[in-house]
Amino acid sequence: MTDRQRIPSPAPSLPRVAGLVVVDKPLGWTSHDVVSRMRRLAGTRKVGHAGTLDPAASGVLVVGVEKATKLLTYVTGTNKTYRASIRLGAATVTDDAEGDVTRTAAPERLAALTDDAVLAAVAELTGEIQQVPSAVSAIKVDGQRSYARVRKGEDVELPARPVTVHEFTVHGISREPSDAEPTAVDVDATVTCSSGTYIRALARDLGEALGVGGHLTALRRTRVGSFTLEQSHTLDELTEQVRAGGTVSTLAIDDAARGLFPVRELAAREATDLSHGRRIAAARVHPGGASQANGAASRSGVGAGDTESAGDAAAPGSKGPEGSRAGLPVACFAPDGTLVALAEDRGPADRRYTTSVLGIAAGMTFTDATASEESGAQAPGAGQDGTTRTERTRH
């Protein structure tokens, strides 16, 4: 039996849930390896990931399934947190432990290196900085990946680019060997940074700043936006879920969007128009930051047409180390909680309108239950508790 045959797939009768799966990527696996496994476990080819993790790194890899792959671009752009181990005293060609050592520091130089000096150099690498990506990164140079050029023996010099290191906290500094003149100084740290920051480049630059060389020896990603290790599942856990007759644990696309974007609750007519690609009235910004348009109350208790900041301070896009929601589209929901589209406001100040930039539930009609009741018909899905719900029909 081949490895592929040993990996279960969900029964054809089970629904393929569109959503995000937070995977704890194991060491030695590429991000594409994880996607290949998830295609089998989810029973669909439509699977992608947000933010590559090298084989030598482990931790949070956010995987999108079915329509939720449309959200991955926005997940990729969120800030990330890592637990990193950095070795000072040796530089390598790859800026990590996988590459050949290019130079080492003299033991007496390392013996003179104080903890205060390390902490001062770390402080200089915190905040908004200009970073030269590692030469073995996937950045393209004249149409070819930088790492491919390095493997061919080429000297690759990439331009510096702005990144933000929100946190660079040192948890421990140790020396090897501890009972003699050191040949290496190990730094254990947590780094929270903007998308596009290379932790191995931070290790390299820390070593360069101290004049002893440095490289990354271990890396574990603990957070991508609001998605953390505590929410993650190992591939073995996901495999057992499917083998037991179920489906993989998935954060539904509606819930994922509420955690990633500002939210606007729509009336049924607005939801129908947006679903069919038509413009709708822009939300009116009220004091206090809430945005409002006319419409029925949604089942969440927020008025239809309202815009609310979804999630807590740890949500991706919120202010602080997790990022800013400024510039993000708005997740627009029908009264029954269906994610209709990601949208943004356009037009001059006196004629603003909202238009879809990414359709999710396309070509659907949303009928307000109360409208059916007023015409004398009991609306399917209308609750006895007075809750307004909608029925959906596809043309």
Side-chain angles (χ1 to χ4, degrees):
M1 182 180 292
T2 65
D3 288 343
R4 178 175 176 80
Q5 289 172 324
R6 283 193 291 265
I7 304 303
S9 288
S13 60
L14 293 175
R16 289 348 184 216
V17 180
L20 301 180
V21 182
V22 185
V23 177
D24 184 355
K25 188 192 83 65
L27 291 171
W29 285 58
T30 67
S31 298
H32 183 70
D33 291 338
V34 174
V35 168
S36 296
R37 174 65 62 87
M38 286 300 303
R39 283 173 176 160
R40 181 79 174 172
L41 294 176
T44 176
R45 293 285 302 170
K46 197 167 185 182
V47 176
H49 69 79
T52 301
L53 265 182
D54 291 339
S58 66
V60 175
L61 183 70
V62 180
V63 175
V65 179
E66 294 289 355
K67 285 185 179 181
T69 55
K70 296 180 178 182
L71 305 182
L72 293 178
T73 296
Y74 302 101
V75 179
T76 300
T78 59
N79 295 334
K80 300 165 181 70
T81 299
Y82 300 86
R83 190 67 183 253
S85 295
I86 298 169
R87 172 152 287 192
L88 301 174
T92 71
V93 67
T94 57
D95 301 327
D96 65 10
E98 301 287 310
D100 295 333
V101 174
T102 56
R103 68 183 180 90
T104 58
E108 57 271 18
R109 183 68 181 269
L110 290 174
L113 183 62
T114 65
D115 289 2
D116 286 343
V118 172
L119 294 175
V122 164
E124 290 297 316
L125 290 171
T126 305
E128 296 179 358
I129 64 173
Q130 292 289 321
Q131 184 184 72
V132 176
S134 173
V136 294
S137 67
I139 294 173
K140 286 189 175 181
V141 179
D142 296 330
Q144 191 173 12
R145 300 290 185 187
S146 179
Y147 63 74
R149 291 182 173 274
V150 172
R151 287 172 181 168
K152 292 179 180 179
E154 297 182 26
D155 289 329
V156 178
E157 292 187 9
L158 298 173
R161 58 184 184 178
V163 299
T164 301
V165 178
H166 297 283
E167 175 193 5
F168 196 163
T169 301
V170 174
H171 303 293
I173 302 173
S174 59
R175 289 158 175 79
E176 295 293 335
S178 58
D179 57 350
E181 203 167 46
T183 57
V185 176
D186 292 323
V187 179
D188 181 37
T190 292
V191 178
T192 297
C193 53
S194 61
S195 179
T197 305
Y198 286 85
I199 308 302
R200 68 174 69 191
L202 277 180
R204 175 202 65 204
D205 293 344
L206 181 61
E208 288 296 321
L210 295 167
V212 296
H215 65 276
L216 188 68
T217 56
L219 186 67
R220 184 158 174 76
R221 189 155 67 191
T222 60
R223 183 181 62 81
V224 175
S226 64
F227 305 108
T228 66
L229 273 177
E230 288 70 29
Q231 300 168 270
S232 69
H233 301 272
T234 67
L235 291 173
D236 286 344
E237 289 171 346
L238 295 171
T239 300
E240 288 307 312
Q241 290 173 2
V242 177
R243 184 169 284 128
T247 58
V248 293
S249 295
T250 305
L251 178 65
I253 186 171
D254 298 344
D255 295 329
R258 287 185 182 276
L260 286 166
F261 306 100
V263 171
R264 178 174 171 181
E265 305 286 348
L266 304 176
R269 182 171 181 176
E270 292 175 318
T272 298
D273 285 344
L274 200 61
S275 179
H276 286 79
R278 295 187 287 268
R279 300 174 179 178
I280 63 175
R284 298 193 302 273
V285 178
H286 284 236
S291 300
Q292 193 124 359
N294 293 330
S298 75
R299 64 176 181 174
S300 67
V302 181
D306 287 359
T307 302
E308 62 178 352
S309 179
D312 55 23
S318 60
K319 293 182 179 180
E322 290 78 17
S324 171
R325 277 199 165 96
L328 285 176
V330 175
C332 295
F333 289 86
D336 68 348
T338 299
L339 175 62
V340 179
L342 301 183
E344 62 183 28
D345 288 353
R346 293 179 180 173
D350 59 339
R351 295 191 302 276
R352 297 287 283 174
Y353 61 89
T354 298
T355 187
S356 171
V357 294
L358 181 61
I360 305 296
M364 303 191 78
T365 298
F366 299 84
T367 305
D368 196 336
T370 56
S372 298
E373 290 171 358
E374 290 170 0
S375 66
Q378 176 67 29
Q384 296 180 352
D385 59 358
T387 302
T388 300
R389 299 175 185 169
T390 64
E391 62 176 3
R392 290 172 285 161
T393 57
R394 187 179 292 276
H395 296 292

